[in-house]
Amino acid sequence: MAFQSRSGDFDEPFLAPRTYALPELPWEQISGRLESITIAILRFDARLEASGLAAGWQSRCDMTEAVRALILDGHLVDVGDLVLHDAGMDVRHPTHELTRAAAALRARRTAMARKAPWPLSIDGLAALRGIGGVAEEMSVRSKGKKPDPDNDEAYPPFANDADPWAAHFAEIDALLERTTKVLAGETPLPRSRSHLVYDPDQDEAEAEDLWLDVVKRTSHWPAVAAAAIAWDAWLNLNLYTRLPWLGLIMAAAILRARGLTSHLLPLAAGFKQSKFRPQGREGAREKLDGFCQVLEEALAIANKDLDRLILARELMSRVTARCRSNSTLPELVELFLSRPLVTVPLGAKLLQVTPKAVDLMLAQLGGALPRELTGRTRYRAWGIV
């Protein structure tokens, strides 16, 4: 059957754009719980900022969240391997699971490095996924028109210099700079999609537009409800099946963009601890209650971790208060507060001291030294647990 188009033709059908249906929520029944969770998030954020441990807590949270995200996907990654891999000190060849955990860690850091609304955009999604084209600035010249001799910008750099090799060296330097950015992950190379891995019938571009439209249409909703609906829409649209951990990061980014917190909450840890597991049969009220359970567990874990950091800092600060002004011991304390674990080689590399100096500082901490995690003579690690 043919439908009439806007121009009056009956040959081509008029297709309406696809939209994602927002659920109807009983606001009178859920408003009380949304308010209590919102107040709890605000209180934790204020407590974290007042403690002076925001940077260290976020760094530890990013690493532990990357490991927990892989656990939810059915893969076990040691947090010590991730810490050493992040510092470029792998003790063994990185596994596939470790590289995926490193990708989750890089995504959280990328979301925190930019302003709050940026992750909730098409460019933000591409950067968090680790894909995107390499943008190169190239001057386009017309074929039948010669460049103006008086216009220096129309010629390559150093084209008018006396040294003819300067232009070649400039091109090599530019190539090395682009290669360095690609290797650092700032401008990742575009990847071809294999039909053996990805579903050719799934249009990810359309799913991205639908999800971003959900975020835009719920912008006037309460922040917790908007994050819950966005996470549910992410699961229903089956966005990025090879990155299942990204949905919880985007839900945390929504809470950050709405001003409830200046950090990314450990939602993967909250989801792992909670009993809620979406099956697709739940109603809108049950899904919202499940997301509230995830948030409550995440806040409980975040508060406990902050309590451990505050107590450890107080114990170690009693020792650092008696050290010399040029001592590296306070920097070692900051390293303990920003990493899930610390080894002697790791401390020596990050603090730029010798391993013997790290051993002496560990002995200087005495009873304030964090717990030893391995108990082995060959590989020793300490951490605040």
Side-chain angles (χ1 to χ4, degrees):
M1 178 179 180
F3 297 90
Q4 186 175 7
S5 63
R6 295 182 179 178
S7 60
D9 260 344
F10 287 87
D11 297 333
E12 297 181 358
F14 173 68
L15 299 178
R18 180 187 172 193
T19 58
Y20 185 88
L22 297 180
E24 294 290 339
L25 295 176
W27 297 108
E28 295 182 357
Q29 302 176 13
I30 65 176
S31 58
R33 188 172 187 184
L34 294 180
E35 182 182 7
S36 62
I37 294 179
T38 302
I39 294 175
I41 296 175
L42 292 173
R43 285 179 175 175
F44 169 75
D45 190 69
R47 181 170 176 246
L48 182 60
E49 291 292 341
S51 67
L53 293 169
W57 178 89
Q58 187 66 68
S59 178
R60 286 170 53 93
C61 179
D62 291 341
M63 293 185 177
T64 54
E65 276 290 283
V67 173
R68 288 162 179 160
L70 266 294
I71 292 178
L72 294 178
D73 197 26
H75 302 286
L76 183 61
V77 178
D78 185 16
V79 66
D81 292 339
L82 180 61
V83 173
L84 296 177
H85 178 75
D86 180 62
M89 302 178 60
D90 298 279
V91 294
R92 61 181 67 90
H93 185 73
T95 61
H96 175 63
E97 291 76 14
L98 181 59
T99 55
R100 294 185 64 188
L105 174 62
R106 183 170 57 251
R108 289 185 62 89
R109 288 176 173 174
T110 303
M112 277 296 300
R114 302 292 295 271
K115 292 184 179 180
W118 176 80
L120 308 176
S121 63
I122 193 66
D123 294 334
L125 288 175
L128 295 182
R129 293 173 61 194
I131 66 172
V134 181
E136 299 182 2
E137 296 182 359
M138 300 178 62
S139 59
V140 180
R141 304 180 183 178
S142 58
K143 295 183 179 179
K145 185 178 180 181
K146 295 183 179 181
D148 187 5
D150 298 329
N151 186 10
D152 294 336
E153 296 181 357
Y155 291 88
F158 307 102
N160 297 325
D161 290 356
D163 186 4
W165 291 101
H168 298 287
F169 290 145
E171 294 179 359
I172 294 175
D173 292 339
L175 177 61
L176 292 176
E177 183 180 359
R178 292 195 300 268
T179 306
T180 303
K181 291 182 178 180
V182 170
L183 294 177
E186 299 178 6
T187 54
L189 291 173
R191 304 171 184 174
S192 59
R193 299 176 61 87
S194 173
H195 295 316
L196 297 176
V197 180
Y198 297 93
D199 185 7
D201 297 331
Q202 184 179 3
D203 189 358
E204 285 192 353
E206 182 184 11
E208 289 174 351
D209 294 337
L210 290 175
W211 187 81
L212 292 175
D213 183 62
V214 169
V215 175
K216 182 178 180 181
R217 289 159 60 193
T218 57
S219 59
H220 62 283
W221 287 24
V224 176
I229 297 304
W231 182 46
D232 179 59
W234 186 283
L235 297 178
N236 291 336
L237 294 172
N238 199 19
L239 265 171
Y240 315 142
T241 55
R242 295 177 59 83
L243 305 174
W245 40 263
L246 191 54
L248 291 173
I249 295 180
M250 300 309 298
I254 291 176
L255 297 176
R256 178 172 174 256
R258 298 292 295 273
L260 291 189
T261 177
S262 302
H263 309 85
L264 291 179
L265 297 178
L267 296 187
F271 182 73
K272 179 177 179 295
Q273 192 68 21
S274 67
K275 298 180 180 179
F276 174 68
R277 294 296 180 270
Q279 303 292 333
R281 304 185 300 267
E282 302 86 0
R285 173 71 182 276
E286 288 76 12
K287 293 177 181 179
L288 181 61
D289 289 339
F291 185 75
C292 291
Q293 294 177 17
V294 172
L295 272 178
E296 290 171 350
E297 295 292 343
L299 289 173
I301 293 173
N303 278 293
K304 290 179 181 179
D305 193 24
L306 182 58
D307 291 337
R308 287 190 290 266
L309 291 181
I310 293 175
L311 179 60
R313 184 184 61 179
E314 291 179 356
L315 292 176
M316 290 186 288
S317 63
R318 298 176 183 177
V319 180
T320 57
R322 301 191 300 267
C323 65
R324 302 186 306 271
S325 59
N326 61 345
S327 175
T328 321
L329 186 59
E331 299 180 14
L332 180 62
V333 172
E334 293 297 328
L335 191 61
F336 275 117
L337 296 176
S338 62
R339 297 292 190 280
L341 60 84
V342 175
T343 63
V344 173
L346 178 66
K349 178 180 180 180
L350 297 182
L351 300 180
Q352 297 181 356
V353 295
T354 62
K356 184 62 177 178
V358 177
D359 287 330
L360 294 176
M361 287 187 288
L362 293 176
Q364 187 178 356
L365 286 175
L369 180 66
R371 182 182 302 176
E372 187 171 354
L373 303 178
T374 57
R376 293 180 292 178
T377 306
R378 187 174 182 180
Y379 175 72
R380 304 182 67 185
W382 296 264
I384 301 173
V385 293

